[in-house]
Amino acid sequence: MTARRERDKAALRERVWTELDAALAVQDDTAHGRIPAFHGAEEAAGRLADLLAWRAAEIVKAVPDTAQEPVRALALEQGKTVYMAVPRLAAQAPFYVLDPARLTVPPAVAASRREVPNLTHAVDVDELAPVDIVVLGSVAVDRTGARIGKGAGYSDIEAALLTEAGLISEKTVFVTTVHRLQVVDAVPTEAHDVKVDLIVTPETVIPCPGPRTPARIRWEDLPEEKIAAIPALAKRWAERS
């Protein structure tokens, strides 16, 4: 079943990437192989910023993808603390913390994933505070909140680490910002896939039915090489032994 699901996910990614390219809907030469940097990302960020859940949020966990750069910039501009994962979680301290009160550059500059390592240091999960909103990038998402990314699974692992640390709860709102062509009829998912509560496009906000299943580290689904490549997982695996 897992192999079939992975084939279905791969086929859906290819379909969405191809449709985005055909519509000239992305900033890059192609959408293929990445979280699409879609045209209208700024408008989607602005629409997200109009929501009550966003206005009430103090801490935003956001992916480092280009498509969500306007979201990170708005968060910092509005005085919100931003957590962003170290690429591939490939460090003992897996999360960067951007404190708007400590920025030495404009929020739009600080929001760039290339600049973040020069502006702040990474910390371990136990140095973080509870998260109010999680902003995910997606390749495809459906109206139930099911989504898929590029296939590496890092967003799911990040959510699981923060959930198991008590920093993400049922009160935390999960959001993805996407182009309208990324909203599809159905997304094939597995137990480890994190769903979202809201889909935000440049044109509209789509609430997704709940409740959302809490994320957790599903050791049975993680190959040994994946655990070894992510120090935060390797540490927890050793503690289990």
Side-chain angles (χ1 to χ4, degrees):
M1 179 63 75
T2 298
R4 180 177 177 180
R5 290 274 178 172
E6 287 303 320
R7 289 194 298 270
D8 291 344
K9 288 180 179 181
L12 177 58
R13 290 186 187 100
E14 287 299 320
R15 191 189 93 200
V16 171
W17 284 330
T18 298
E19 289 178 357
L20 288 168
D21 283 354
L24 303 178
V26 295
Q27 301 170 27
D28 302 300
D29 293 337
T30 179
H32 281 76
R34 62 191 76 185
I35 299 296
F38 61 95
H39 291 305
E42 293 82 3
E43 288 81 358
R47 194 170 292 278
L48 170 59
D50 285 338
L51 299 180
L52 178 60
W54 174 272
R55 295 200 300 269
E58 296 181 0
I59 296 180
V60 176
K61 158 67 180 70
V63 291
D65 300 289
T66 301
Q68 284 68 47
E69 186 173 308
V71 174
R72 300 192 296 273
L74 265 180
L76 293 171
E77 183 180 314
Q78 295 175 3
K80 303 180 191 299
T81 298
V82 173
Y83 296 161
M84 195 180 88
V86 171
R88 299 180 180 273
L89 295 170
Q92 292 290 340
F95 290 98
Y96 292 116
V97 177
L98 286 167
D99 181 347
R102 296 174 177 269
L103 291 183
T104 57
V105 297
V109 175
S112 168
R113 62 182 174 183
R114 291 182 293 275
E115 292 296 328
V116 170
N118 302 320
L119 298 173
T120 187
H121 63 284
V123 301
D124 206 345
V125 174
D126 60 6
E127 297 181 62
L128 302 177
V131 176
D132 299 306
I133 286 186
V134 175
V135 181
L136 300 175
S138 301
V139 172
V141 62
D142 68 30
R143 291 173 181 269
T144 72
R147 60 165 290 282
I148 52 172
K150 294 179 296 184
Y154 292 112
S155 289
D156 300 322
I157 294 171
E158 292 163 22
L161 287 170
L162 295 173
T163 299
E164 294 197 354
L167 303 177
I168 285 177
S169 70
E170 68 281 356
K171 295 180 181 179
T172 306
V173 178
F174 278 66
V175 180
T176 190
T177 55
V178 294
H179 189 277
R180 59 179 176 78
L181 292 177
Q182 294 174 256
V183 183
V184 301
D185 290 337
V187 171
T189 60
E190 298 172 83
H192 62 264
D193 291 319
V194 173
K195 289 190 173 185
V196 297
D197 303 299
L198 295 168
I199 303 165
V200 182
T201 75
E203 300 83 13
T204 191
V205 176
I206 304 171
C208 304
R212 187 184 68 249
T213 303
R216 67 174 179 86
I217 301 172
R218 297 181 181 271
W219 298 106
E220 65 276 12
D221 295 338
L222 291 170
E224 291 183 9
E225 58 270 23
K226 186 86 166 187
I227 296 173
I230 300 176
L233 288 182
K235 175 184 176 182
R236 285 158 179 77
W237 178 256
E239 290 171 348
R240 287 165 52 93
S241 304

